[in-house]
Amino acid sequence: MAVDFNSIIHVGLNHYLILSAVLFSIGVLGVLMRRNAIVILMSIELMLNAVNLVFVAFSKYNQNIDGQIMVFFVMTIAAAEAAVGLAIAVAIYKRFKEVNISRFENLKG
Amino acid sequence: MIQQLAPVLVLIVVVVGFVVVSLSLTFLAGPKRKPTAQKQMPYECGIPGIDNQTTKFSVKFYLTAILFILFDIEVIFLYPWALIYTDFLNYGPFIFVEMMVFMAILTFGFIYVWKANALDWD
Amino acid sequence: MLGITPEDMLFHTFAGIATIGAILVVLVRNPIYSALFLALTMCVLGAIFFTLEAYFVSVAQITVYAGAVMVLFVMVLMLFDLKHEHEDIFRITPLNLSKILAVAVMCGFLVGTGWLAVSAVNGNPGAHVAPQTVAQDLEKKELPNELPAKQTHINPDEDFTNAEDAALIDEAKKEEVVLPDPNVVASTSDAEFGSTVSLSRRLFSKYVFAFEAVSLLLLVAIVGAVALAKSKGGTHHGG
Amino acid sequence: MGSGLLEFIINTLKIALIFVGIVSTVPLLVWVERRGSAFMQNRLGPNRVGPLGLLQLAADAVKFIFKEEFIPQKAEKVLYFMAPGLALLPAALTFVAVPLSTPVTVMGHTINMQMADINVGIIYIFAVASLGVYGILAAGWSSGNKYSLLGALRASSQMISYELAMGLSIVGILMIFRTFSLNEMITAQTGHLSFIWQGSTTTVSWLPNWGIFFQPVAFVLFITSGFAETNRLPFDLPEGEAELVAGYHTEYGGFKFNMFFMGEYGHMITSSALITTLFFGGYAIPFMSPDEVLKFWMGHAQGMAGLISLSAADIASILTTLTHLVSFLLKTGFWLFVYIWVRWTLPRFRYDQLMDLGWKTLLPWALANLVITTVFMFFARVKM
């Protein structure tokens, strides 16, 4: 089918969905590939940001403000998760001098 | 929307241009000297550094940052509330009670942090 | 022919920077550089929110994410000082390849569902959706996500003035205190879409329970973080 | 498209002009600081180069250019060079939303004397100011010196603690003005002090309608955390202690060091501009609204219309803009002088005193001020 540049250039709802899908996939890739616990937490933050983008994009294209309010609650959860997650990571680092998750198997009970 | 964002982007370009030009200017104009060993050492008033770069870190720095995040969320919820507070007072005390409960719970958290002397700097 | 409006140019540059930043977050070896790239990505997402006319959300995103959460990440990474820890991430092993393949398939699904969702909304597959058309289409077509009949009579911008409250306002009007017209917001910035006032009207009337739950969540996080920080793992065992 | 382009060019010129204005006021501030502190300690201060030492600044700038480019051996090359830019960028970006004066209409074009009238003005400034921490952290970590890392961590944890108190202190102001945009705040602060008390408007004729009379406690909190945000004395401990030598910018020299100071002075200019806009009526002349000033100049403009080719209306609007610009610069200049004056009078805090002040005094005071304002407005129905 002929590629009409018009729909690629003019920004519509599709563009925001594709951008957030790409960001979400990069976040998932980060979680799967990286060994460092802190970078895994960062990739989760990236995935949550991609979700925020979808919320705001649909909030604009449906002219309904609820999407933007959802972004606040996602932000709160992400911030609380990052805060407690990093506190745990620091406690582990101090105890085992190690942040590489592959060596966490020896966390005996 | 575009009138508000365009000046910010133009200013970013101007500032980055200014930084790059001034750094490259010093790079070109400055005298080129062979870096001697003494100069390269981290500056410690002349006494050679003892242990390597890792410092014995204290808990307090990142605990302050964590508490900052959690109280920053409270500030972000306070901003929109402040805008509509006086207007919605006419519909009764609901908007007042709502925020007082929110503030009470978080002030309780702050008092807990204070009493658990997480804020005392050793 | 290709009448590119400034808004489109803006979006394409921001999207490019955000994607490259996100890729570098995963690819860069030194975690501190990946944290700085993530902060850059979050600032650019804040700018994208600004182009989506979500003004307060974009500023909140920059303050909370880029200004607080990422500062904590950078500070913790600096405290760790992981000079020695250099993992080579992308060794070409069957496990890594299968992971990348799985993520690629997932991304394809996401983009596909997005495409179908948008085209379902306005009837022709793959059609480009301009902002206004979706809103008008919703009115025209009886779509499943149409609000149930009972709810539609509440105008989204006047949550306080549904039927039960109308009596209260009429009665209040009898007193000498002149009530401001609920639609006309006192400050000059009227309650058009995306302005902070319309956002906070809805936040503090319809989502009150979630708002109070947020304070409990924050309280739990505060107590948890303080307890973890004072855990025996601390360097000075004075506790 | 033509007028759009012309508009764009005019705006870009305005932005470049305002940025050059900031970059040139920084050396002026340095000069005022060195001579002001000299007079406070009854010594002379720089007066060799040029009249009253004014050219001393140009001499310093040129000297910085010709300094040797020096990179410490253990430094992270890339971040070491990016850190000054990271410190300067947020400082410059915060000035975008500050309204300098009333819009001027010349030959049909209206140019508003503000880089961008952002409708979420005040929290945009706080958002960008909170990004200033990255410059400090990057500088401290990338210069490879463990004392500069410690200095950077101390400076950044001090900045974020006081950012909290600053954010909370302005909520009272937002409740009263019910807007984020700084222009609307200024228009709300014109004329005589008047507020609605239990439905009836009472005006105090001998006081201007400034924000400080509505929120005095918020003013005290805002100015204290303003000092701490810019790492100025008495809060400049990260650079001041003996073993930290110069804190996070120990390993920097030449123009890179100068850029950190530009960032600090940029934050200083922005926070004094904020103090005038939030609490002292911004560019508005006390007791007179901008339209009255325009009418005043309209009267006088008839005489001058003959001399210059512009029409009377243009002259009047130019003169009003100039008067408001002068009033804005006077007020901000006064608060900049207060910054410098306090630096040379108050001793430096110890680090735990400093953090205790931030968390255990300013924050409870900000919360208490907020609750009291809320309860007060709940009962008194006080409105602007």
Side-chain angles (χ1 to χ4, degrees), chain C residues 33 56 66 70 78 186-188, chain D residues 76 123 127 134 137 141 178 184:
Chain C
Y33 282 107
F56 184 65
M70 288 322 295
M78 282 186 184
S187 78
T188 50
Chain D
E76 290 272 336
I123 37 178
Y134 286 108
L137 282 174
W141 181 70
R178 290 197 301 283
E184 284 167 20

Side-chain angles (χ1 to χ4, degrees), chain D residues 79 90 105 172 206 339:
Chain D
L79 212 52
T105 57
W206 48 275
Y339 265 85

Side-chain angles (χ1 to χ4, degrees), chain D residues 10-325:
Chain D
I10 291 177
N11 281 336
T12 324
L13 273 180
K14 179 180 70 176
I15 292 163
L17 201 68
I18 293 179
F19 177 67
V20 164
I22 297 172
V23 170
S24 61
T25 35
V26 166
L28 195 65
L29 274 176
V30 171
W31 176 77
V32 167
E33 176 141 23
R34 288 167 69 173
R35 281 195 76 91
S37 59
F39 286 134
M40 285 176 210
Q41 299 152 358
N42 60 46
R43 53 182 170 82
L44 262 181
N47 57 5
R48 284 291 174 279
V49 185
L52 284 176
L54 270 174
L55 287 186
Q56 173 75 31
L57 324 168
D60 286 350
V62 168
K63 173 195 78 175
F64 274 129
I65 300 282
F66 288 101
K67 278 262 173 94
E68 184 213 351
E69 198 49 56
F70 157 79
I71 307 161
Q73 179 245 348
K74 272 202 233 165
E76 290 272 336
K77 302 291 181 296
V78 175
L79 212 52
Y80 182 76
F81 278 102
M82 262 169 47
L86 281 177
L88 186 60
L89 197 58
L93 281 185
T94 50
F95 210 75
V96 168
V98 172
L100 302 175
S101 171
T102 51
V104 62
T105 57
V106 175
M107 289 174 276
H109 290 289
T110 59
I111 311 162
N112 52 31
M113 298 298 292
Q114 183 188 24
M115 284 203 215
D117 181 9
I118 300 175
N119 59 16
V120 276
I122 184 80
I123 37 178
Y124 161 82
I125 290 177
F126 284 153
V128 174
S130 74
L131 296 179
V133 182
Y134 286 108
I136 292 174
L137 282 174
W141 181 70
S142 68
S143 45
N145 168 352
K146 61 176 181 296
Y147 287 114
S148 65
L149 175 63
L150 192 58
L153 287 173
R154 283 187 172 189
S156 45
S157 58
Q158 166 195 325
M159 269 180 82
I160 51 179
S161 334
Y162 284 93
E163 211 174 289
L164 204 55
M166 197 179 218
L168 268 175
S169 69
I170 62 150
V171 176
I173 289 281
L174 293 181
M175 253 197 277
I176 289 170
F177 291 141
R178 290 197 301 283
T179 168
F180 287 143
S181 128
L182 292 169
N183 272 329
E184 284 167 20
M185 283 188 193
I186 291 179
T187 43
Q189 287 181 43
T190 52
H192 298 279
L193 181 64
S194 69
F195 51 88
I196 302 167
W197 175 274
Q198 299 290 18
S200 67
T201 320
T202 55
T203 47
V204 177
S205 64
W206 48 275
L207 277 179
N209 198 5
W210 285 348
I212 186 167
F213 304 119
F214 290 95
Q215 284 282 322
V217 176
F219 168 68
V220 172
L221 295 172
F222 190 82
I223 202 164
T224 326
S225 28
F227 277 98
E229 279 294 302
T230 55
N231 283 342
R232 295 249 348 146
L233 248 167
F235 295 98
D236 74 342
L237 191 104
E239 293 130 23
E241 266 187 87
E243 90 273 11
L244 290 187
V245 180
Y248 53 88
H249 41 70
T250 321
E251 302 286 343
Y252 281 87
F255 206 81
K256 298 193 288 294
F257 183 76
N258 189 358
M259 250 183 252
F260 280 107
F261 267 84
M262 275 200 218
E264 183 189 323
Y265 280 101
H267 276 298
M268 215 169 90
I269 294 173
T270 313
S271 64
S272 11
L274 270 184
I275 292 170
T276 46
T277 313
L278 288 177
F279 296 102
F280 291 96
Y283 57 74
I285 315 273
F287 303 115
M288 279 175 78
S289 74
D291 323 332
E292 286 156 12
V293 176
L294 187 67
K295 272 203 286 302
F296 169 77
W297 283 118
M298 190 60 88
H300 290 267
Q302 311 313 358
M304 285 180 258
L307 313 178
I308 323 153
S309 66
L310 294 170
S311 75
D314 288 356
I315 297 172
S317 88
I318 292 174
L319 288 173
T320 19
T321 312
L322 281 181
T323 36
H324 284 120
L325 192 63

Side-chain angles (χ1 to χ4, degrees), chain A residues 2 38 63 73 75 80 90-92 98 107-108:
Chain A
I38 312 274
Q63 293 296 314
F73 298 133
M75 234 183 245
V90 167
I92 290 174
E98 188 52 63
L107 281 184
K108 292 292 173 295

